[in-house]
Amino acid sequence: VLTLTYCGLIMGYVINIRFLEPFSNVQGLIFFRGGRSFGYLYTIVVSTDLFAYLIGTKIGRHKLCVDISPNKSVEGAVAGLVLGSLCGLGAAFLLGIVHPRNTSEYIFTIIITLLVSMLISFTVQIGDLVASKLKRTYDIKDFGKLFPGHGGVLDRFDSLIFSGAVYYIIVLIIQLFYM
């Protein structure tokens, strides 16, 4: 049941991101499109994981969750959250997901996009910790042998699975309020 839910149902949300129809609200601030939305999400996932790893290995002193993942540090988690969110903010503008027209819209758009990016970046790290907890619970070193030393194939997608589900739900909520 856990496998069906984790890999099937939740990954289904991620796959559905690619098929999002172009949606624009009345003010024209937000424009969701499948490929662009996935690019925005994947930018946050990769940058959060990358900066958490790089900063955590260089200056990480305080352990985050020793029982679940002994190599993760608080410093790495904070760096991943902040820098991943900033990369998401940049990606939202570069990929044309947000279209502010004046100064007040720019400020509003930056604040909201940064908050959404922070939420997604946070769920990236939660997804990684949940996958690590599953491996510890069932006494599994790796989810597979295809990528030796990297935790397997599922370990490459654990962050994307959780954050993609959250992003898809956020898009659905926004569409409900503006349609």
Side-chain angles (χ1 to χ4, degrees):
V1 172
L2 181 63
T3 303
L4 289 174
T5 303
Y6 189 71
C7 295
L9 180 65
I10 298 176
M11 188 64 173
Y13 286 120
V14 178
I15 294 167
N16 281 335
I17 290 171
R18 177 62 185 98
F19 300 106
L20 284 174
E21 292 294 322
F23 162 76
S24 179
N25 68 6
V26 178
Q27 293 83 21
L29 284 174
I30 305 167
F31 187 72
F32 295 111
R33 187 176 305 156
R36 292 177 185 207
S37 290
F38 189 80
Y40 165 72
L41 172 68
Y42 202 67
T43 299
I44 296 173
V45 169
V46 170
S47 59
T48 299
D49 280 342
L50 178 67
F51 289 120
Y53 173 74
L54 291 176
I55 303 298
T57 55
K58 295 292 181 197
I59 64 169
R61 301 286 180 264
H62 302 91
K63 298 298 180 186
L64 185 65
C65 296
V66 180
D67 295 341
I68 297 174
S69 189
N71 294 329
K72 294 196 183 340
S73 67
V74 174
E75 294 85 359
V78 170
L81 179 72
V82 171
L83 296 172
S85 300
L86 291 174
C87 288
L89 177 65
F93 280 95
L94 288 174
L95 295 171
I97 292 175
V98 291
H99 298 283
R101 292 180 299 247
N102 57 44
T103 307
S104 64
E105 284 182 358
Y106 265 101
I107 293 169
F108 174 75
T109 304
I110 287 171
I111 291 170
I112 296 301
T113 305
L114 192 59
L115 289 174
V116 169
S117 297
M118 288 179 81
L119 177 63
I120 294 169
S121 181
F122 179 73
T123 58
V124 165
Q125 297 183 44
I126 295 296
D128 196 30
L129 289 171
V130 166
S132 295
K133 180 63 177 167
L134 286 172
K135 288 195 299 188
R136 298 260 184 255
T137 300
Y138 295 106
D139 200 26
I140 301 170
K141 168 107 173 80
D142 292 333
F143 281 127
K145 306 274 188 249
L146 190 59
F147 299 130
H150 289 272
V153 175
L154 189 57
D155 217 28
R156 299 293 96 205
F157 295 104
D158 56 9
S159 303
L160 181 64
I161 290 173
F162 268 71
S163 58
V166 168
Y167 179 71
Y168 188 73
I169 291 168
I170 289 171
V171 169
L172 290 180
I173 290 170
I174 290 172
Q175 286 181 346
L176 283 175
F177 284 112
Y178 286 103
M179 290 190 108

